[in-house]
Amino acid sequence: MDFATLIGLFSGLALVVAAILMGGQINIFVDVPSMMIVLGGTFGTIFVAFPFEEVRQAFHAGFKAFSSRKVQVREVVGTMVKIAEISRREGLIALENVKTENMVLKKACQLIADNAEPGLIRTTLAIEITSMKRRHKVGEEVFKRLGSIAPSFGMIGTLIGLIQMLSNLNDPKSIGPAMAVAIITTFYGSILATVLFLPIANKLRTRTLQEELHLEVIFEGAKSILENNNPLLVSEKLSSFLAPRERK
């Protein structure tokens, strides 16, 4: 689990709830019609703006932002050094048997075992990078749009509440509660956008940059193995991707 994401989400919501409880009762912030306007309008509109498959992929990617642990660059560097050691000890052909869940790394090992040209490896990984960016861009755009739609429907709900309130001005006692309910929809929309949708969009953007860096490390490692097949030299070259304090 990515505990940093979960801690950030729950701590943000907890502080908001704590501030509400310090100022009064939380039940006055619960209004089912307002939730229906914001949630129903937001998710209904996103299916109009994007194909169903892209929305499904975006939510799957958003879930992975919470459930998958971030792979550090030093781990990828360490993996490539171990692969260099295997190729040095057992030969390039032994890399066909490397077990890994990373399909790009598996493909790179296969290309090394086939003694492919560095240019072919670069082209193959460039295609992988482009494809990965395209997939991640869809998820990022979906959550960015959700972050802009939710506050808009919050305002729509507020306008609906104001219209209903103004139609009952003959009852002064109902104006205060009606105004509070009208503003709640703006509160819901702002909370969803600020605490959930936009942070997830930023998280997906960060993950895209991280995975792009990982693919660059894999390419440079594969090229170094083909050029000299020396684990020490591979380690020295790939250490350039690490922060100075991580270069051990």
Side-chain angles (χ1 to χ4, degrees), residues 190-207:
S190 299
I191 285 291
L192 284 174
T194 306
V195 179
L196 188 62
F197 296 145
L198 294 180
I200 290 179
N202 291 333
K203 176 71 76 173
L204 293 178
R205 173 62 178 167
T206 302
R207 288 291 177 91

Side-chain angles (χ1 to χ4, degrees), residues 39-53:
L39 294 177
T42 299
F43 288 105
T45 302
I46 203 65
F47 282 106
V48 176
F50 294 90
F52 175 80
E53 185 62 24

Side-chain angles (χ1 to χ4, degrees), residues 16-214:
V16 172
V17 172
I20 291 173
L21 292 175
M22 291 173 64
Q25 298 179 348
I26 196 170
N27 61 343
I28 63 175
F29 286 85
V30 178
D31 185 68
V32 175
S34 297
M35 293 181 183
M36 293 172 61
I37 292 172
V38 175
L39 294 177
T42 299
F43 288 105
T45 302
I46 203 65
F47 282 106
V48 176
F50 294 90
F52 175 80
E53 185 62 24
E54 291 186 356
V55 176
R56 187 190 68 80
Q57 291 177 0
F59 279 101
H60 179 69
F63 176 76
K64 288 180 66 177
F66 291 94
S67 62
S68 59
R69 183 182 66 87
K70 182 179 69 173
V71 178
Q72 302 293 334
V73 179
R74 63 175 178 270
E75 297 178 38
V76 183
V77 171
T79 300
M80 294 308 300
V81 173
K82 290 179 182 178
I83 290 174
E85 292 173 349
I86 294 173
S87 67
R88 179 84 166 190
R89 184 174 59 250
E90 304 177 21
L92 296 178
I93 195 68
L95 299 185
E96 290 183 337
N97 301 320
V98 170
K99 304 297 183 182
T100 176
E101 296 181 356
N102 189 321
M103 299 308 297
V104 177
L105 181 57
K106 181 67 175 177
K107 183 181 295 185
C109 289
Q110 184 63 53
L111 291 172
I112 298 172
D114 294 338
N115 200 22
E117 293 292 332
L120 176 59
I121 298 178
R122 162 60 77 181
T123 301
T124 302
L125 293 185
I127 295 173
E128 291 286 349
I129 290 174
T130 302
S131 178
M132 179 268 296
K133 283 183 176 181
R134 183 172 60 250
R135 294 193 307 270
H136 287 204
K137 187 67 175 177
V138 171
E140 182 183 345
E141 288 297 323
V142 168
F143 279 100
K144 279 184 177 180
R145 187 66 61 86
L146 285 169
S148 63
I149 292 174
S152 298
F153 272 96
M155 289 300 301
I156 290 174
T158 297
L159 293 175
I160 293 173
L162 290 175
I163 292 172
Q164 294 173 341
M165 181 192 71
L166 293 174
S167 65
N168 294 314
L169 286 179
N170 56 342
D171 184 7
K173 293 183 179 180
S174 66
I175 294 178
M179 186 65 181
V181 171
I183 295 176
I184 285 177
T185 51
T186 300
F187 172 75
Y188 288 157
S190 299
I191 285 291
L192 284 174
T194 306
V195 179
L196 188 62
F197 296 145
L198 294 180
I200 290 179
N202 291 333
K203 176 71 76 173
L204 293 178
R205 173 62 178 167
T206 302
R207 288 291 177 91
T208 300
L209 296 175
Q210 290 170 347
E211 291 194 26
E212 184 178 358
L213 179 59
H214 294 168

Side-chain angles (χ1 to χ4, degrees), residues 222-239:
K223 187 174 71 170
S224 298
I225 292 172
L226 285 172
E227 289 175 349
N228 50 59
N229 201 22
N230 188 325
L232 181 59
L233 295 178
V234 172
S235 177
E236 288 294 328
K237 184 175 183 179
L238 297 185
S239 65

